[in-house]
Amino acid sequence: MSGQSLLVPGEITPVRSVPGNIRRPEYVGKPAPTPYTGPEVQDADTIERMRVAGRIAAQAMEEAAKHIAPGVTTDELDRVAHEFMIDHGAYPSTLGYRGFPKSLCSSLNEVICHGIPDSTVLRDGDIVNLDVTAYINGVHGDNNATYLCGDVDEESRLLVERTRESLNRAIKAVKPGRQINVIGRVIESYAKRFGYGVVRDFTGHGINTSFHSGLIIPHYDSPHATTVMQPGMTFTIEPMLTLGTHEYDMWEDGWTVVTKDRKRTAQFEHTLVVTETGAEILTLP
């Protein structure tokens, strides 16, 4: 595995501005969002609006990823994604969500999720997860992917490749009439082949007009995930696989989640809608 030093918090720049004409989610400026009480199955109009939000989120993530290179800061990646979403009339969903100060999450190496973009400089050999969500026309689209920065060691490259594959397999398992736990069963059984840990405490989630609707999508085979998938349900699948333990620590910032053994971890995510025959990915660029 890479012999690079562990990450430490960097300096966080001031909150980026959003033009007043761009609609904010209801939680901006509040300590927490209003709990979602609507249905998990969405109507055709909501799904169409989610396609737009998902496409913008995917394009913003792609644009930021083009700038991944040794010497670039994670704050610069945040700037690129922020400006892309603003230019397309979308609000960066993470900005102000429960006080989160940035427009994407940047999670490097041992960071499982929710890393805050700051003055941290990317190094040759890093793996970099970008998590981007866009809010437009009253709905959210959420996606993430892990990218290679420069010359990455084989063990880390395989982890990234196999985490992407675990998401692809999970998406293929989505079918109306099946219980949600089939998703985690597929991911966990695939990860076990390689001895990877599967993060349990951070999950996929329902998404629609709400960033997190309350529906939980575990990435392991949970006996409690018995909700039956129905056409029109919208949610994310976002497996987090690790080279070691699935257990974690959290930095003092209250956001940055790192593997307890500080081994590397990768993640991929799409927003989906259940169709009559399977799943449609809503976060395609």
Side-chain angles (χ1 to χ4, degrees):
M1 198 182 94
S2 169
Q4 287 184 343
S5 59
L6 298 177
L7 293 163
V8 295
E11 295 294 320
I12 298 175
T13 59
V15 173
R16 302 186 198 282
S17 63
V18 178
N21 64 313
I22 291 179
R23 179 178 171 186
R24 273 84 168 142
E26 59 81 25
Y27 52 73
V28 174
K30 294 165 53 178
T34 302
Y36 178 72
T37 56
E40 297 298 346
V41 172
Q42 306 304 312
D43 60 26
D45 173 66
T46 303
I47 292 166
E48 181 54 38
R49 286 183 284 133
M50 289 182 69
R51 286 190 186 97
V52 174
R55 184 166 60 247
I56 292 172
Q59 290 172 341
M61 185 173 73
E62 272 197 345
E63 195 60 35
K66 291 176 186 176
H67 293 76
I68 291 175
V72 175
T73 65
T74 55
D75 188 66
E76 173 64 8
L77 303 179
D78 181 79
R79 182 194 66 77
V80 172
H82 177 92
E83 292 182 359
F84 185 95
M85 285 185 272
I86 297 308
D87 288 347
H88 288 76
Y91 184 92
S93 300
T94 59
L95 186 62
Y97 179 78
R98 297 182 181 272
F100 192 83
K102 290 293 172 181
S103 298
L104 58 71
C105 299
S106 55
S107 303
L108 279 55
N109 301 338
E110 70 269 18
V111 179
I112 295 171
C113 58
H114 304 159
I116 301 173
D118 58 18
S119 61
T120 297
V121 175
L122 300 182
R123 302 165 295 181
D124 186 59
D126 284 342
I127 59 173
V128 183
N129 179 271
L130 300 181
D131 192 334
V132 179
T133 310
Y135 177 79
I136 188 170
N137 296 325
V139 297
H140 301 267
D142 184 3
N143 68 162
N144 78 54
T146 304
Y147 300 90
L148 310 180
C149 181
D151 185 18
V152 175
D153 68 274
E154 178 75 359
E155 186 178 37
S156 298
R157 285 197 309 103
L158 285 172
L159 173 69
V160 171
E161 182 181 306
R162 290 164 175 167
T163 305
R164 182 192 291 112
E165 175 62 15
S166 76
L167 173 59
N168 292 340
R169 289 173 180 238
I171 292 170
K172 289 176 183 173
V174 172
K175 295 279 191 303
R178 290 181 174 177
Q179 292 184 346
I180 290 289
N181 58 15
V182 71
I183 293 168
R185 190 175 309 136
V186 165
I187 292 168
E188 187 173 40
S189 63
Y190 180 70
K192 277 184 174 178
R193 289 193 206 175
F194 312 104
Y196 295 156
V198 180
V199 172
R200 301 168 77 91
D201 292 276
F202 300 90
T203 67
H205 53 89
I207 184 170
N208 38 64
T209 58
S210 172
F211 194 173
H212 299 90
S213 73
L215 177 67
I216 301 298
I217 312 294
H219 302 123
Y220 63 98
D221 187 4
S222 169
H224 305 295
T226 55
T227 300
V228 174
M229 292 182 266
Q230 304 173 59
M233 286 179 73
T234 50
F235 53 80
T236 72
I237 304 176
E238 45 188 297
M240 292 150 262
L241 305 187
T242 71
L243 290 176
T245 182
H246 68 269
E247 296 180 346
Y248 68 93
D249 292 321
M250 187 175 287
W251 283 4
E252 289 183 3
D253 62 22
W255 284 105
T256 306
V257 179
V258 295
T259 54
K260 189 169 276 294
D261 56 13
R262 303 304 190 266
K263 291 186 177 180
R264 287 188 164 189
T265 174
Q267 182 183 17
F268 285 83
E269 173 187 22
H270 275 305
T271 295
L272 312 169
V273 59
V274 180
T275 67
E276 296 292 341
T277 57
E280 176 193 345
I281 299 172
L282 299 178
T283 39
L284 291 175

